[in-house]
Amino acid sequence: MVPPRNVVKIAVQMRDAIPQLIQLDQAKPLAAVLKEVCDAWSLPHSERYALQFADGHRRYITENDLEAERLLRGLQSESCEGRREALQHLVLLAPDMTFTREVISRDGLQRLGSIIEDGDDLGEVLALALRAFLELMEHGVVSWETLSIPFVRKVVCYVNMNLMDASVQPLALGLLESVTLSSPALGQLVKSEVPLDRLLVHLQVMNQQLQTKAMALLTALLQGASAAERKHMLDYLWQRNLRQFIYKNIIHSAAPLGDEMAHHLYVLQALTLGLLEPRMRTPLDPYSQEQREQLQALRQAAFEPEGESLGTGLSADRRRSLCAREFRKLGFSNSNPAQDLERVPPGLLALDNMLYFSRHAPSAYSRFVLENSSREDKHECPFARSSIQLTVLLCELLHVGEPCSETAQDFSPMFFGQDQSFHELFCVSIQLLNKTWKEMRATQEDFDKVTQVVREQLARTLALKPSSLELFRTKVNALTYGEVLRLRQTERLHQEGTLAPPILELREKLKPELMGLIRQQRLLRLCEGTLFRKISSRRRQDKLWFCCLSPNHKVLQYGDVEEGVGPPAPESLPEQLPVADIRALLTGKDCPHVREKGSGKQNKDVCELAFSVSYDHGEEEAYLNFVAPSKREFHLWTDGLSALLGSPMGSEQTRLDLEQLLTMETKLRLLELENVPIPEQPPPVPPPPTNFNFCYDCSITEP
């Protein structure tokens, strides 16, 4: 009878004992084998003994030794089923570093390499062999550079085959990626043997694992290429519509994007943007005819109508003077624009951006330049200076020229949404800068402040990862200067802990008391009274009248006064309106004295300050009409009248006052808790004690 494959005969010897010839079952635990050997020699405590090789390195035998030897014997099995089982176990145990060392020391990699190179089985056995090989190599015990050229070529052959098992090609691609990243020499071999078109075929297969591994090998080949080779490769890939395919079929696919694919897309984006680095590092050459012509084209697009020439009928000196003046209008700091573009970064990249904007958005470019050149000098937004600084800002935000991170996944989907994404982003950003400049009412001295705000607008919008340039444009234009200030305030409150749940709860408890304080202030202001102007039918504000609230808050007292005379005493006012007779408070267009007037600009100003109270006058409804002298007085009076009528005070001034009082009161109450962390949730109430024997009744007197 043939013994099982796991059973081998070995000789065991010990000093001063007769050697044993035993049948070692490799599937049996090592502890059980040791106990059998010790029992044969009548030795107690078998756990104190170990088996050691008698020849070679005289290493001690461990469970890993036995398992490694058993699996490697299985790899040499003649049956396909035996090899498959051995490979399955090898894949499961390969992550263990100790086991890996045992397998490698027994030429396990060579045996796996033979299975891969032979290629007798192109299905599951080959896939398991590739997986096991990758797992063993991942530990770094053996360098990837030690692989043979025939072995690498065989793996390349599996990648280039048309009819191949779906589980084999992703593993083959992963193996070639590791080879390319670890060995420049073998990486060149892979680059020459694997056509880019073949990788594009793999990317177009609707298999996410295969797509990911194909993208991994593609980015590895790009990273290993020289700058010139990388540019050539990327140009070819873009011509083959790789960008469009990534945008439609990978980024916007139904399946979620995996972390590994996100990393490779980040690398592809970084390498593509890295092509801009030479232009970013190169200053403008004042002796270059091509670059001088580009500057002139920039000027002509802004100031010379199509078909007209600056030199018509002008002397050379006059022409040079006019050119210098127009370059200054264009926003260059120097009459010679070459001096502005000598700064690196951004170097020639800023000139590229300006030219792209003038050629692809000519109307927006002309509007930007002409609009600002017609403003007052202190308020004009310099196009060239802004473009140079904005190019630097975009390079920093997009990390142009920086080495790729090994773990980052921060790619921008809109980068794959259109060609020339960097220049297109600049076109949106330069128009944003002009919009923000006007919102801030900036002057030349505020240039740095404006660029800081624009940087924040771009950074916040890029962090949202908009899926297209149009969506980016919409979101960044919605992020106005006022919105940026609001976000800064909110973030500052978060950092101070003002928006923590316990603080918010405290603020809610303080609100009724503080609203009562504001109500009291508003009523006191009404008691002081205010001078109002009467609006005649001819829109002349030629008469004054005074109105105040009685100290007991029961009556509104009012009457006409002469101009130049101080506020009269309340008791001298002839007219009175009991508060109890007031029906409602009206504001703006609801007021009768506003409805009667036209819709001119002056009436619009009056509308914003107008309010009325309707009251019972016998059986009819009458109105007392007001036009406040200022917006603040409008808020104070409408709040006070609302308080008298029992309505909520909803003016903007009330909101600001309440926020200021809440902030002050909260800070005062939290002074003793400075630098003490406040938990988000209150601590749990502990359970009651099992008994209350520790209580002491103080009312009982001791005898």
Side-chain angles (χ1 to χ4, degrees):
M1 180 178 177
V2 180
R5 293 195 309 271
N6 294 331
V7 177
V8 294
K9 290 186 177 181
I10 62 171
V12 183
Q13 63 182 15
M14 186 177 68
R15 186 180 302 174
D16 302 329
I18 300 173
Q20 300 181 43
L21 182 64
I22 65 171
Q23 288 189 337
L24 176 62
D25 186 353
Q26 297 179 62
K28 186 181 295 186
L30 182 59
V33 175
L34 281 170
K35 189 172 187 317
E36 291 177 0
V37 173
C38 290
D39 289 346
W41 280 322
S42 301
L43 297 174
H45 307 297
S46 61
E47 68 275 5
R48 298 179 182 176
Y49 295 88
L51 295 174
Q52 183 185 31
F53 287 103
D55 53 3
H57 296 289
R58 303 183 66 83
R59 292 182 298 105
Y60 286 97
I61 299 174
T62 63
E63 290 282 2
N64 282 325
D65 290 324
L66 295 176
E67 189 66 21
E69 186 63 33
R70 184 180 69 82
L71 291 179
L72 292 177
R73 285 178 183 274
L75 294 182
Q76 296 176 324
S77 173
E78 295 180 359
S79 70
C80 181
E81 182 64 23
R83 290 197 301 272
R84 188 180 64 79
E85 289 182 4
L87 286 167
Q88 286 176 337
H89 285 87
L90 186 56
V91 168
L92 293 174
L93 296 174
D96 182 83
M97 182 65 175
T98 305
F99 176 79
T100 295
R101 290 184 181 277
E102 294 296 335
V103 171
I104 292 175
S105 67
R106 287 171 165 76
D107 297 330
L109 284 175
Q110 287 79 352
R111 299 187 191 184
L112 287 171
S114 299
I115 295 175
I116 294 170
E117 286 191 62
D118 291 343
D120 296 333
D121 187 334
L122 299 180
E124 186 180 6
V125 170
L126 178 58
L128 288 170
L130 286 167
R131 188 182 299 279
F133 192 92
L134 280 167
E135 291 283 355
L136 294 175
M137 291 295 293
E138 284 298 320
H139 292 285
V141 178
V142 177
S143 171
W144 288 95
E145 295 183 349
T146 60
L147 299 184
S148 67
I149 291 177
F151 175 82
V152 174
R153 279 188 171 145
K154 188 64 178 180
V155 177
V156 167
C157 181
Y158 295 143
V159 169
N160 291 335
M161 279 186 183
N162 288 324
L163 298 176
M164 176 59 65
D165 189 275
S167 60
V168 171
Q169 287 188 324
L171 296 167
L173 287 164
L175 194 151
L176 293 181
E177 178 207 2
S178 299
V179 167
T180 304
L181 293 174
S182 304
S183 172
L186 293 176
Q188 286 297 320
L189 173 64
V190 174
K191 180 185 171 187
S192 63
E193 296 282 340
V194 180
L196 291 178
D197 287 328
R198 189 63 197 166
L199 293 179
L200 291 174
V201 169
H202 290 315
L203 282 170
Q204 292 172 9
V205 176
M206 292 296 105
N207 180 328
Q208 196 170 36
Q209 185 184 15
L210 184 59
Q211 286 180 338
T212 302
K213 294 303 179 183
M215 185 64 73
L217 179 55
L218 178 60
T219 55
L221 291 172
L222 288 169
Q223 286 178 284
S226 64
E229 290 175 331
R230 186 180 304 148
K231 184 177 185 312
H232 176 73
M233 292 169 67
L234 285 170
D235 288 344
Y236 179 78
L237 291 170
W238 286 171
Q239 289 173 9
R240 297 299 306 273
N241 299 323
L242 175 63
R243 177 190 62 76
Q244 293 90 327
F245 180 82
I246 290 174
Y247 187 71
K248 294 178 182 177
N249 295 38
I250 295 180
I251 295 177
H252 292 288
S253 68
L257 196 68
D259 292 344
E260 188 178 354
M261 177 60 86
H263 170 69
H264 295 312
L265 291 178
Y266 153 78
V267 173
L268 183 60
Q269 172 182 304
L271 293 175
T272 306
L273 289 173
L275 297 178
L276 302 171
E277 185 179 7
R279 300 289 288 179
M280 183 183 74
R281 305 287 183 195
T282 305
L284 185 137
D285 181 5
Y287 301 104
S288 168
Q289 179 66 25
E290 179 188 359
Q291 293 170 15
R292 288 203 302 269
E293 290 175 356
Q294 289 175 337
L295 284 171
Q296 290 298 330
L298 199 63
R299 180 191 62 79
Q300 291 168 0
F303 298 109
E304 294 185 15
E306 188 174 353
E308 295 186 14
S309 174
L310 179 68
T312 305
L314 296 177
S315 64
D317 291 342
R318 175 62 177 160
R319 190 164 56 249
R320 281 195 296 270
S321 173
L322 190 57
C323 280
R325 190 174 67 187
E326 288 182 346
F327 276 125
R328 293 298 291 265
K329 283 186 176 181
L330 202 54
F332 287 98
S333 302
N334 301 282
S335 56
N336 181 6
Q339 296 176 359
D340 293 59
L341 294 169
E342 288 176 352
R343 169 189 172 190
V344 289
L348 291 175
L349 187 57
L351 179 59
D352 294 341
N353 277 334
M354 288 188 281
L355 282 170
Y356 188 91
F357 182 47
S358 68
R359 291 169 180 170
H360 292 80
S363 58
Y365 169 68
S366 300
R367 185 167 58 251
F368 187 114
V369 175
L370 297 177
E371 177 184 296
N372 285 286
S373 61
S374 63
R375 288 184 191 172
E376 298 179 25
D377 288 343
K378 63 178 182 178
H379 285 292
E380 66 179 2
C381 178
F383 171 74
R385 183 184 176 191
S386 300
S387 298
I388 293 169
Q389 188 60 36
L390 185 59
T391 303
V392 175
L393 193 154
L394 288 174
C395 289
E396 291 174 356
L397 289 175
L398 298 174
H399 309 290
V400 175
E402 296 181 15
C404 297
S405 166
E406 294 184 0
T407 57
Q409 303 170 11
D410 190 23
F411 78 96
S412 177
M414 72 172 180
F415 172 82
F416 298 95
Q418 65 282 312
D419 296 322
Q420 305 295 335
S421 57
F422 184 83
H423 297 315
E424 290 287 345
L425 185 60
F426 171 83
C427 293
V428 174
S429 302
I430 192 66
Q431 295 176 76
L432 170 72
L433 189 145
N434 188 40
K435 173 175 169 286
T436 304
W437 183 282
K438 289 186 283 189
E439 289 173 351
M440 295 177 66
R441 299 178 181 177
T443 62
Q444 295 287 341
E445 290 76 17
D446 301 322
F447 183 83
D448 291 338
K449 293 180 182 177
V450 175
T451 53
Q452 288 174 4
V453 173
V454 172
R455 181 191 187 94
E456 187 170 346
Q457 290 171 314
L458 293 174
R460 288 180 182 275
T461 309
L462 286 171
L464 299 175
K465 298 193 178 217
S467 58
S468 67
L469 185 69
E470 285 306 314
L471 187 58
F472 174 84
R473 189 197 310 272
T474 302
K475 288 183 178 294
V476 80
N477 285 327
L479 192 61
T480 60
Y481 175 57
E483 182 68 12
V484 170
L485 293 180
R486 188 190 67 78
L487 290 172
R488 286 177 177 177
Q489 174 73 3
T490 303
E491 289 170 358
R492 184 182 63 80
L493 293 175
H494 273 292
Q495 291 174 356
E496 294 176 356
T498 311
L499 298 181
I503 306 301
L504 292 176
E505 186 177 347
L506 174 62
R507 287 165 63 94
E508 287 297 322
K509 290 184 177 179
L510 292 174
K511 272 185 182 180
E513 178 185 350
L514 297 179
M515 284 299 291
L517 189 62
I518 294 172
R519 180 180 183 279
Q520 182 181 354
Q521 186 270 339
R522 299 294 195 261
L523 294 176
L524 286 173
R525 183 69 187 86
L526 264 60
C527 291
E528 292 177 8
T530 302
L531 280 170
F532 297 95
R533 286 191 177 272
K534 286 187 176 181
I535 305 295
S536 66
S537 59
R538 296 184 180 181
R539 313 296 296 160
R540 293 179 55 197
Q541 303 180 11
D542 51 357
K543 293 185 179 181
L544 296 174
W545 64 289
F546 184 80
C547 184
C548 65
L549 180 67
S550 63
N552 62 1
H553 302 170
K554 296 287 179 82
V555 178
L556 282 177
Q557 298 170 295
Y558 60 96
D560 293 343
V561 296
E562 296 294 332
E563 190 166 2
V565 180
E571 56 271 12
S572 66
L573 296 171
E575 303 291 340
Q576 292 187 348
L577 172 60
V579 173
D581 292 344
I582 296 177
R583 289 186 182 181
L585 171 66
L586 308 174
T587 59
K589 295 180 180 179
D590 296 331
C591 300
H593 60 306
V594 173
R595 290 199 303 265
E596 293 171 0
K597 309 302 178 184
S599 58
K601 181 178 184 300
Q602 187 176 4
N603 187 61
K604 181 180 178 183
D605 297 337
V606 171
C607 178
E608 294 177 352
L609 301 175
F611 62 97
S612 303
V613 290
S614 63
Y615 61 93
D616 294 325
H617 184 64
E619 296 182 358
E620 298 180 356
E621 183 179 24
Y623 298 92
L624 183 61
N625 300 319
F626 301 78
V627 177
S630 66
K631 198 71 177 174
R632 176 175 172 79
E633 287 294 330
F634 173 81
H635 290 319
L636 294 177
W637 270 84
T638 53
D639 283 342
L641 292 171
S642 296
L644 285 174
L645 298 175
S647 302
M649 299 180 293
S651 72
E652 179 68 13
Q653 189 63 44
T654 296
R655 188 188 67 79
L656 294 175
D657 290 348
L658 178 61
E659 182 62 31
Q660 186 176 11
L661 291 172
L662 280 172
T663 302
M664 293 171 58
E665 186 68 21
T666 303
K667 288 183 177 180
L668 286 173
R669 296 205 180 196
L670 297 177
L671 276 177
E672 296 183 359
L673 293 178
E674 190 173 1
N675 298 325
V676 176
I678 300 174
E680 294 284 327
Q681 300 293 334
V685 178
T690 54
N691 61 72
F692 294 87
N693 295 339
F694 56 86
C695 291
Y696 181 76
D697 191 351
C698 298
S699 61
I700 301 176
T701 58
E702 296 183 2

